[in-house]
Amino acid sequence: MTHPAQFSERTFEFAFNAHFAKRFKAVLLAVPNIPSQTAEGSCGFDAAFEVLMGGDYEVYYYQHKVASHVDVRSGSNKHIWAKTTGPYFHFRVDRDQYNLIRRLGTPSRINPFSISIDYTSPRFWSYADLHDRFMKSRVMDHTVAINVQSCGYMSKGKHRMIYTAGGAIQAWRFSEPSPATARPVLGENGRAVGQRMTDCGPNALLDKVMAAVTRALASARRYDEISQSRVARISDALGFIRQNRVADFDAPGPERNERAALLKLNYLLGNVLGLTALVAAAKAEE
């Protein structure tokens, strides 16, 4: 029998993001980067969190999904059941969004960073379970993170992400059964698994990101189908950040300057991802 999720994706997003912010409030560096629904199509994530974990600057990129629960083997799902060997969850995957996530995970001249965006989906489907886990601040404890970099790009057709409902977490992309990397959002030590962005400190990384944005802007200006007003706004912001590179905010001291640099990274990283995706789409139409 199939049990569709009794709550919306937006409701799950809120519950997950609120739990993340509460759990890691001591190490959060900035307000979460949550793009608009329009911007989400060009940046690939629903939410990005920046933390300073054990001296490391880490970023967590999540694309949230809700899933249906299937607990009975039938003729139509026997090929899936053969992989999961028991009940499983599944959600539909948008081909353009999926391929964008794959593309952003591959470094290029315009985007020198391998941005790891995970699909996140709950291992529960009922509203009662969501309510219970939200009230107990345990939403993340019952959520899986799925990374699709090992799956390859997606061709035409309908595709779903499948993951096991119990026991060890495993995931596949169907219709062609392609294994994905799946794990709990929280590791055994209670830490989220994030992407370590730099070994050279946030100020040095900011310089790299500004250079990447400069290259992305130069490429974006070549295509009329890319909003040039958006390009102009990002260019103005980049100019302001470069002009105020040394005098960060109002408090003296290297700690405050470092935090300011991280806040600027939060803005620029989102825009270099968006511009990279738009340029790649424009090139594909040539």
Side-chain angles (χ1 to χ4, degrees):
M1 184 175 180
T2 300
H3 305 277
Q6 295 179 343
F7 44 88
S8 70
E9 191 171 289
R10 296 296 297 276
T11 301
F12 172 65
E13 286 178 18
F14 173 83
F16 181 98
N17 293 344
H19 184 193
F20 190 105
K22 181 178 180 180
R23 190 168 193 133
F24 296 104
K25 63 181 179 181
V27 292
L28 274 181
L29 288 165
V31 64
N33 185 350
I34 300 177
S36 67
Q37 288 182 301
T38 301
E40 180 193 336
S42 62
C43 64
F45 59 86
D46 285 322
F49 296 88
E50 296 174 285
V51 301
L52 197 60
M53 191 78 74
D56 293 330
Y57 169 49
E58 297 182 348
V59 184
Y60 304 81
Y61 294 99
Y62 296 127
Q63 175 59 239
H64 298 311
K65 298 293 182 184
V66 295
S68 296
H69 181 243
V70 180
D71 57 11
V72 175
R73 183 182 184 274
S74 67
S76 61
N77 73 352
K78 61 183 180 181
H79 58 302
I80 298 175
W81 201 274
K83 289 287 186 183
T84 62
T85 67
Y88 61 88
F89 287 91
H90 72 89
F91 59 84
R92 289 192 179 276
V93 179
D94 178 81
R95 179 168 60 94
D96 291 340
Q97 182 185 77
Y98 172 96
N99 286 338
L100 170 63
I101 290 173
R102 281 284 290 106
R103 190 182 305 121
L104 293 175
T106 305
S108 66
R109 181 178 176 276
I110 297 174
N111 176 25
F113 309 101
S114 175
I115 302 299
S116 180
I117 301 174
D118 288 334
Y119 285 107
T120 50
S121 191
R123 239 180 174 185
F124 53 87
W125 59 273
S126 73
Y127 183 84
D129 282 342
L130 175 63
H131 172 77
D132 178 70
R133 281 147 196 178
F134 178 73
M135 297 304 291
K136 294 177 180 177
S137 295
R138 294 185 62 83
V139 176
M140 294 177 66
D141 302 75
H142 299 274
T143 298
V144 302
I146 302 172
N147 189 281
V148 297
Q149 289 303 120
S150 63
C151 292
Y153 286 97
M154 187 182 293
S155 59
K156 293 181 179 179
K158 295 182 179 179
H159 298 265
R160 289 179 293 171
M161 196 63 64
I162 310 292
Y163 58 96
T164 50
I169 299 174
Q170 293 179 281
W172 300 264
R173 192 198 73 200
F174 277 81
S175 53
E176 316 108 20
S178 181
T181 303
R183 65 180 189 280
V185 168
L186 292 177
E188 293 182 0
N189 58 1
R191 282 180 55 166
V193 180
Q195 180 173 7
R196 187 177 182 184
M197 295 300 294
T198 181
D199 292 316
C200 57
N203 282 288
L205 180 60
L206 179 59
D207 290 332
K208 293 182 179 181
V209 175
M210 286 195 296
V213 173
T214 300
R215 291 193 294 270
L217 285 169
S219 296
R221 291 190 181 100
R222 295 170 47 208
Y223 298 98
D224 293 336
E225 57 267 46
I226 297 177
S227 169
Q228 294 304 304
S229 61
R230 178 181 179 183
V231 171
R233 286 196 302 272
I234 297 171
S235 180
D236 289 344
L238 179 64
F240 176 81
I241 290 173
R242 183 175 286 119
Q243 182 179 356
N244 294 274
R245 184 69 183 79
V246 178
D248 278 330
F249 290 146
D250 52 2
E255 181 179 350
R256 184 61 175 177
N257 287 347
E258 181 171 283
R259 180 174 291 266
L262 290 169
L263 291 172
K264 292 172 180 178
L265 276 171
N266 185 53
Y267 175 82
L268 288 179
L269 274 174
N271 279 294
V272 75
L273 295 184
L275 284 176
T276 298
L278 290 172
V279 170
K283 285 182 176 179
E285 296 297 323
E286 288 184 329

